[in-house]
Amino acid sequence: MTDMFILPEKHMAASENKMKILFVCSANICRSPMAEGIMRELRSDWSVDSAGICAIGGDAPDRHAIACAAQRGVDISALRSRPVFAEDFANFDLILTMDDDSADYLELRRPLGDKRYQRAKVDNLAAYAQERFIPNPYGSSDFDKVYQLIEKA
């Protein structure tokens, strides 16, 4: 995954004095954009972004995710997918995945040898809702259930 080591300037965190959270799922088209949208509504004073472990970049959220969020007054239609970058470990305070396997994977991909990459805490978002994982709704009709789990977390 060579893209992980390239970071466009637009993804750099803007301010050093506010909480910075990155939500991560598989492709960054369902769960993590919904989580980003929810958190932006809850905490407009925080810097929030989303990414995908397998994301190529530039894709809009799934139409079902957009519709599900819109029903609750959250607009995620302008979001675009992006991969996880090495610099994310230095630029975010908290990286929240949708399951333990993804958190473990990201920890294995964390760059070594530079203290700034140790900044981000990587954790499972589902644990904040007393769940083991937040299921991937892609290709199913579970978007409402997934949205509610993310909101609960």
Side-chain angles (χ1 to χ4, degrees), residues 12-59:
M12 299 289 273
S15 169
E16 290 303 316
N17 61 0
K18 61 177 162 179
M19 182 69 158
K20 298 169 189 77
I21 299 177
L22 178 67
F23 293 99
V24 177
C25 68
S26 301
N28 192 210
I29 60 169
C30 296
R31 296 170 291 174
S32 57
M34 288 195 294
E36 178 182 352
I38 291 167
M39 187 58 76
R40 284 179 188 257
E41 290 292 317
L42 293 173
R43 294 302 305 251
S44 62
D45 57 323
W46 288 1
S47 177
V48 182
D49 200 357
S50 61
I53 289 174
C54 302
I56 295 170
D59 292 329

Short mmCIF file of all heavy atoms in Angstrom, two decimals, residues 12-59:
data_model
loop_
_atom_site.label_atom_id
_atom_site.label_comp_id
_atom_site.label_asym_id
_atom_site.label_seq_id
_atom_site.Cartn_x
_atom_site.Cartn_y
_atom_site.Cartn_z
N MET A 12 -3.82 17.63 6.08
CA MET A 12 -3.08 18.02 7.27
C MET A 12 -4.06 18.68 8.26
O MET A 12 -4.92 19.45 7.86
CB MET A 12 -1.97 19.01 6.92
CG MET A 12 -0.94 18.45 5.97
SD MET A 12 0.08 17.22 6.73
CE MET A 12 1.33 18.27 7.40
N ALA A 13 -3.93 18.35 9.52
CA ALA A 13 -4.79 18.94 10.53
C ALA A 13 -4.52 20.44 10.62
O ALA A 13 -3.37 20.87 10.58
CB ALA A 13 -4.55 18.27 11.88
N ALA A 14 -5.57 21.22 10.74
CA ALA A 14 -5.46 22.67 10.65
C ALA A 14 -4.94 23.35 11.91
O ALA A 14 -4.16 24.27 11.84
CB ALA A 14 -6.83 23.25 10.31
N SER A 15 -5.35 22.91 13.06
CA SER A 15 -5.02 23.62 14.29
C SER A 15 -4.47 22.66 15.33
O SER A 15 -4.93 21.55 15.46
CB SER A 15 -6.28 24.31 14.81
OG SER A 15 -6.08 24.79 16.10
N GLU A 16 -3.51 23.13 16.09
CA GLU A 16 -2.91 22.28 17.11
C GLU A 16 -3.66 22.32 18.44
O GLU A 16 -3.30 21.62 19.36
CB GLU A 16 -1.45 22.69 17.33
CG GLU A 16 -0.55 22.34 16.17
CD GLU A 16 -0.57 20.86 15.81
OE1 GLU A 16 -0.51 20.01 16.71
OE2 GLU A 16 -0.67 20.56 14.62
N ASN A 17 -4.68 23.15 18.56
CA ASN A 17 -5.34 23.28 19.86
C ASN A 17 -6.75 22.69 19.90
O ASN A 17 -7.53 23.02 20.77
CB ASN A 17 -5.37 24.74 20.30
CG ASN A 17 -6.13 25.62 19.33
OD1 ASN A 17 -6.65 25.13 18.33
ND2 ASN A 17 -6.21 26.89 19.62
N LYS A 18 -7.11 21.84 18.96
CA LYS A 18 -8.41 21.18 19.03
C LYS A 18 -8.25 19.69 18.80
O LYS A 18 -7.30 19.25 18.16
CB LYS A 18 -9.40 21.79 18.05
CG LYS A 18 -9.05 21.72 16.59
CD LYS A 18 -10.20 22.32 15.79
CE LYS A 18 -9.81 22.68 14.40
NZ LYS A 18 -10.93 23.23 13.65
N MET A 19 -9.18 18.93 19.34
CA MET A 19 -9.16 17.48 19.21
C MET A 19 -9.25 17.08 17.75
O MET A 19 -10.05 17.64 16.99
CB MET A 19 -10.33 16.90 19.99
CG MET A 19 -10.39 15.41 19.99
SD MET A 19 -9.04 14.73 20.94
CE MET A 19 -9.68 13.14 21.32
N LYS A 20 -8.44 16.11 17.35
CA LYS A 20 -8.41 15.64 15.96
C LYS A 20 -8.69 14.14 15.94
O LYS A 20 -7.95 13.36 16.54
CB LYS A 20 -7.06 15.94 15.33
CG LYS A 20 -6.76 17.43 15.26
CD LYS A 20 -5.31 17.66 14.89
CE LYS A 20 -4.96 19.11 15.03
NZ LYS A 20 -4.75 19.50 16.43
N ILE A 21 -9.79 13.75 15.28
CA ILE A 21 -10.21 12.35 15.24
C ILE A 21 -10.32 11.89 13.79
O ILE A 21 -10.87 12.59 12.94
CB ILE A 21 -11.57 12.16 15.94
CG1 ILE A 21 -11.48 12.56 17.41
CG2 ILE A 21 -12.04 10.72 15.81
CD1 ILE A 21 -12.78 12.47 18.15
N LEU A 22 -9.81 10.69 13.54
CA LEU A 22 -9.92 10.05 12.24
C LEU A 22 -10.71 8.76 12.41
O LEU A 22 -10.36 7.92 13.24
CB LEU A 22 -8.53 9.73 11.66
CG LEU A 22 -8.51 9.01 10.31
CD1 LEU A 22 -9.04 9.93 9.21
CD2 LEU A 22 -7.10 8.54 9.99
N PHE A 23 -11.78 8.60 11.64
CA PHE A 23 -12.57 7.37 11.63
C PHE A 23 -12.12 6.52 10.44
O PHE A 23 -11.98 7.04 9.33
CB PHE A 23 -14.07 7.68 11.51
CG PHE A 23 -14.62 8.38 12.72
CD1 PHE A 23 -14.80 9.76 12.72
CD2 PHE A 23 -14.96 7.66 13.85
CE1 PHE A 23 -15.30 10.41 13.83
CE2 PHE A 23 -15.47 8.31 14.98
CZ PHE A 23 -15.64 9.68 14.96
N VAL A 24 -11.91 5.23 10.68
CA VAL A 24 -11.39 4.34 9.64
C VAL A 24 -12.26 3.10 9.51
O VAL A 24 -12.58 2.45 10.51
CB VAL A 24 -9.93 3.92 9.95
CG1 VAL A 24 -9.42 2.94 8.91
CG2 VAL A 24 -9.02 5.14 10.02
N CYS A 25 -12.62 2.79 8.26
CA CYS A 25 -13.29 1.53 7.96
C CYS A 25 -12.56 0.90 6.78
O CYS A 25 -11.40 1.23 6.53
CB CYS A 25 -14.79 1.73 7.69
SG CYS A 25 -15.19 2.64 6.19
N SER A 26 -13.21 0.03 6.05
CA SER A 26 -12.55 -0.68 4.95
C SER A 26 -12.30 0.22 3.74
O SER A 26 -11.17 0.47 3.36
CB SER A 26 -13.38 -1.88 4.51
OG SER A 26 -13.56 -2.77 5.58
N ALA A 27 -13.38 0.71 3.13
CA ALA A 27 -13.26 1.45 1.87
C ALA A 27 -13.57 2.94 2.01
O ALA A 27 -13.46 3.68 1.04
CB ALA A 27 -14.17 0.84 0.81
N ASN A 28 -13.97 3.37 3.19
CA ASN A 28 -14.29 4.78 3.44
C ASN A 28 -15.46 5.25 2.60
O ASN A 28 -15.48 6.38 2.11
CB ASN A 28 -13.04 5.64 3.21
CG ASN A 28 -13.17 7.07 3.71
OD1 ASN A 28 -12.56 7.97 3.15
ND2 ASN A 28 -13.93 7.30 4.76
N ILE A 29 -16.49 4.37 2.44
CA ILE A 29 -17.69 4.79 1.71
C ILE A 29 -18.98 4.54 2.49
O ILE A 29 -20.04 4.97 2.06
CB ILE A 29 -17.78 4.13 0.31
CG1 ILE A 29 -17.83 2.61 0.40
CG2 ILE A 29 -16.65 4.62 -0.60
CD1 ILE A 29 -18.19 1.91 -0.90
N CYS A 30 -18.91 3.85 3.63
CA CYS A 30 -20.13 3.57 4.41
C CYS A 30 -19.97 4.03 5.86
O CYS A 30 -20.44 5.09 6.25
CB CYS A 30 -20.49 2.08 4.38
SG CYS A 30 -20.93 1.46 2.75
N ARG A 31 -19.29 3.21 6.66
CA ARG A 31 -19.22 3.44 8.10
C ARG A 31 -18.43 4.68 8.50
O ARG A 31 -18.92 5.50 9.28
CB ARG A 31 -18.66 2.21 8.80
CG ARG A 31 -19.54 0.99 8.66
CD ARG A 31 -18.86 -0.26 9.13
NE ARG A 31 -17.77 -0.61 8.22
CZ ARG A 31 -16.91 -1.60 8.43
NH1 ARG A 31 -17.00 -2.33 9.53
NH2 ARG A 31 -15.97 -1.86 7.55
N SER A 32 -17.22 4.81 8.00
CA SER A 32 -16.41 5.95 8.45
C SER A 32 -16.95 7.30 7.98
O SER A 32 -16.90 8.27 8.76
CB SER A 32 -14.94 5.77 8.10
OG SER A 32 -14.73 5.58 6.72
N PRO A 33 -17.52 7.44 6.77
CA PRO A 33 -18.13 8.73 6.45
C PRO A 33 -19.35 9.04 7.33
O PRO A 33 -19.58 10.20 7.69
CB PRO A 33 -18.54 8.63 4.98
CG PRO A 33 -17.95 7.38 4.46
CD PRO A 33 -17.50 6.55 5.62
N MET A 34 -20.13 8.00 7.67
CA MET A 34 -21.27 8.25 8.58
C MET A 34 -20.74 8.70 9.94
O MET A 34 -21.28 9.64 10.53
CB MET A 34 -22.14 7.00 8.72
CG MET A 34 -22.97 6.71 7.47
SD MET A 34 -24.33 5.51 7.70
CE MET A 34 -23.45 4.00 8.05
N ALA A 35 -19.68 8.05 10.43
CA ALA A 35 -19.11 8.44 11.72
C ALA A 35 -18.56 9.87 11.66
O ALA A 35 -18.76 10.66 12.60
CB ALA A 35 -18.01 7.46 12.11
N GLU A 36 -17.89 10.20 10.57
CA GLU A 36 -17.38 11.57 10.40
C GLU A 36 -18.53 12.57 10.42
O GLU A 36 -18.46 13.60 11.11
CB GLU A 36 -16.61 11.69 9.09
CG GLU A 36 -16.09 13.09 8.84
CD GLU A 36 -15.36 13.27 7.52
OE1 GLU A 36 -15.09 12.26 6.82
OE2 GLU A 36 -15.05 14.43 7.17
N GLY A 37 -19.60 12.29 9.69
CA GLY A 37 -20.74 13.20 9.66
C GLY A 37 -21.39 13.39 11.02
O GLY A 37 -21.71 14.51 11.41
N ILE A 38 -21.57 12.29 11.74
CA ILE A 38 -22.16 12.35 13.08
C ILE A 38 -21.30 13.20 14.00
O ILE A 38 -21.79 14.09 14.70
CB ILE A 38 -22.35 10.93 13.66
CG1 ILE A 38 -23.44 10.18 12.90
CG2 ILE A 38 -22.67 10.99 15.16
CD1 ILE A 38 -23.49 8.69 13.20
N MET A 39 -19.98 12.95 14.00
CA MET A 39 -19.10 13.68 14.91
C MET A 39 -19.00 15.15 14.53
O MET A 39 -18.92 16.01 15.42
CB MET A 39 -17.71 13.04 14.94
CG MET A 39 -16.81 13.66 16.00
SD MET A 39 -17.48 13.56 17.70
CE MET A 39 -17.16 11.84 18.05
N ARG A 40 -19.03 15.46 13.26
CA ARG A 40 -19.01 16.87 12.85
C ARG A 40 -20.25 17.60 13.37
O ARG A 40 -20.16 18.77 13.74
CB ARG A 40 -18.95 17.00 11.33
CG ARG A 40 -17.57 16.72 10.77
CD ARG A 40 -17.58 16.84 9.24
NE ARG A 40 -16.33 16.40 8.70
CZ ARG A 40 -15.38 17.22 8.26
NH1 ARG A 40 -15.57 18.51 8.30
NH2 ARG A 40 -14.26 16.74 7.79
N GLU A 41 -21.38 16.91 13.39
CA GLU A 41 -22.61 17.51 13.93
C GLU A 41 -22.51 17.70 15.45
O GLU A 41 -22.97 18.70 15.98
CB GLU A 41 -23.82 16.65 13.59
CG GLU A 41 -24.20 16.67 12.13
CD GLU A 41 -24.74 18.02 11.68
OE1 GLU A 41 -25.55 18.63 12.40
OE2 GLU A 41 -24.34 18.46 10.58
N LEU A 42 -21.93 16.71 16.12
CA LEU A 42 -21.83 16.76 17.58
C LEU A 42 -20.77 17.74 18.08
O LEU A 42 -20.96 18.40 19.09
CB LEU A 42 -21.53 15.37 18.14
CG LEU A 42 -22.61 14.31 17.98
CD1 LEU A 42 -22.09 12.96 18.43
CD2 LEU A 42 -23.85 14.71 18.78
N ARG A 43 -19.63 17.79 17.37
CA ARG A 43 -18.49 18.58 17.83
C ARG A 43 -17.89 19.37 16.68
O ARG A 43 -16.85 19.01 16.13
CB ARG A 43 -17.42 17.68 18.44
CG ARG A 43 -17.81 16.96 19.71
CD ARG A 43 -18.23 17.90 20.85
NE ARG A 43 -17.24 18.89 21.18
CZ ARG A 43 -16.52 18.90 22.29
NH1 ARG A 43 -16.68 17.96 23.18
NH2 ARG A 43 -15.66 19.86 22.52
N SER A 44 -18.53 20.47 16.32
CA SER A 44 -18.03 21.28 15.21
C SER A 44 -16.70 21.96 15.56
O SER A 44 -16.02 22.46 14.66
CB SER A 44 -19.07 22.33 14.81
OG SER A 44 -19.33 23.20 15.89
N ASP A 45 -16.34 21.97 16.83
CA ASP A 45 -15.07 22.57 17.25
C ASP A 45 -13.89 21.60 17.13
O ASP A 45 -12.75 21.97 17.38
CB ASP A 45 -15.18 23.10 18.68
CG ASP A 45 -15.58 22.03 19.68
OD1 ASP A 45 -16.40 21.16 19.33
OD2 ASP A 45 -15.08 22.07 20.82
N TRP A 46 -14.14 20.35 16.77
CA TRP A 46 -13.08 19.36 16.60
C TRP A 46 -12.74 19.21 15.12
O TRP A 46 -13.57 19.46 14.25
CB TRP A 46 -13.52 18.00 17.14
CG TRP A 46 -13.59 17.94 18.63
CD1 TRP A 46 -13.33 18.94 19.53
CD2 TRP A 46 -13.96 16.80 19.41
NE1 TRP A 46 -13.52 18.50 20.81
CE2 TRP A 46 -13.90 17.18 20.77
CE3 TRP A 46 -14.32 15.51 19.09
CZ2 TRP A 46 -14.19 16.30 21.79
CZ3 TRP A 46 -14.62 14.63 20.12
CH2 TRP A 46 -14.55 15.02 21.45
N SER A 47 -11.56 18.72 14.85
CA SER A 47 -11.15 18.39 13.48
C SER A 47 -11.45 16.91 13.27
O SER A 47 -10.93 16.07 14.00
CB SER A 47 -9.65 18.67 13.32
OG SER A 47 -9.23 18.30 12.04
N VAL A 48 -12.29 16.60 12.30
CA VAL A 48 -12.75 15.23 12.08
C VAL A 48 -12.55 14.87 10.61
O VAL A 48 -12.81 15.68 9.72
CB VAL A 48 -14.24 15.08 12.45
CG1 VAL A 48 -14.70 13.64 12.27
CG2 VAL A 48 -14.50 15.55 13.87
N ASP A 49 -12.10 13.65 10.37
CA ASP A 49 -11.89 13.16 9.01
C ASP A 49 -12.18 11.67 9.01
O ASP A 49 -12.42 11.06 10.07
CB ASP A 49 -10.44 13.43 8.58
CG ASP A 49 -10.26 13.41 7.06
OD1 ASP A 49 -11.22 13.13 6.32
OD2 ASP A 49 -9.12 13.65 6.61
N SER A 50 -12.18 11.07 7.83
CA SER A 50 -12.37 9.63 7.72
C SER A 50 -11.48 9.10 6.60
O SER A 50 -11.08 9.85 5.70
CB SER A 50 -13.84 9.27 7.47
OG SER A 50 -14.30 9.83 6.26
N ALA A 51 -11.18 7.81 6.68
CA ALA A 51 -10.30 7.16 5.70
C ALA A 51 -10.65 5.68 5.66
O ALA A 51 -11.41 5.18 6.48
CB ALA A 51 -8.84 7.36 6.09
N GLY A 52 -10.06 4.98 4.69
CA GLY A 52 -10.29 3.55 4.56
C GLY A 52 -8.99 2.79 4.40
O GLY A 52 -8.09 3.25 3.70
N ILE A 53 -8.92 1.65 5.03
CA ILE A 53 -7.74 0.80 4.93
C ILE A 53 -7.51 0.38 3.48
O ILE A 53 -6.38 0.34 3.00
CB ILE A 53 -7.87 -0.42 5.86
CG1 ILE A 53 -7.74 0.04 7.32
CG2 ILE A 53 -6.83 -1.48 5.53
CD1 ILE A 53 -7.99 -1.05 8.34
N CYS A 54 -8.58 0.09 2.76
CA CYS A 54 -8.48 -0.35 1.35
C CYS A 54 -8.96 0.72 0.38
O CYS A 54 -9.16 0.42 -0.80
CB CYS A 54 -9.30 -1.62 1.15
SG CYS A 54 -8.82 -2.98 2.22
N ALA A 55 -9.15 1.93 0.84
CA ALA A 55 -9.68 2.99 -0.03
C ALA A 55 -8.64 3.40 -1.07
O ALA A 55 -7.46 3.52 -0.77
CB ALA A 55 -10.08 4.20 0.80
N ILE A 56 -9.12 3.60 -2.28
CA ILE A 56 -8.27 4.12 -3.35
C ILE A 56 -8.27 5.63 -3.28
O ILE A 56 -7.25 6.28 -3.41
CB ILE A 56 -8.76 3.62 -4.72
CG1 ILE A 56 -8.62 2.11 -4.79
CG2 ILE A 56 -8.01 4.31 -5.85
CD1 ILE A 56 -9.28 1.48 -5.98
N GLY A 57 -9.41 6.20 -3.05
CA GLY A 57 -9.54 7.64 -2.91
C GLY A 57 -10.40 8.26 -3.98
O GLY A 57 -10.39 7.84 -5.14
N GLY A 58 -11.20 9.25 -3.56
CA GLY A 58 -12.02 10.00 -4.49
C GLY A 58 -13.45 9.53 -4.67
O GLY A 58 -14.24 10.18 -5.35
N ASP A 59 -13.81 8.41 -4.04
CA ASP A 59 -15.18 7.90 -4.18
C ASP A 59 -16.13 8.59 -3.21
O ASP A 59 -15.78 8.86 -2.07
CB ASP A 59 -15.23 6.40 -3.90
CG ASP A 59 -14.50 5.58 -4.96
OD1 ASP A 59 -14.48 6.01 -6.13
OD2 ASP A 59 -13.96 4.52 -4.61
#
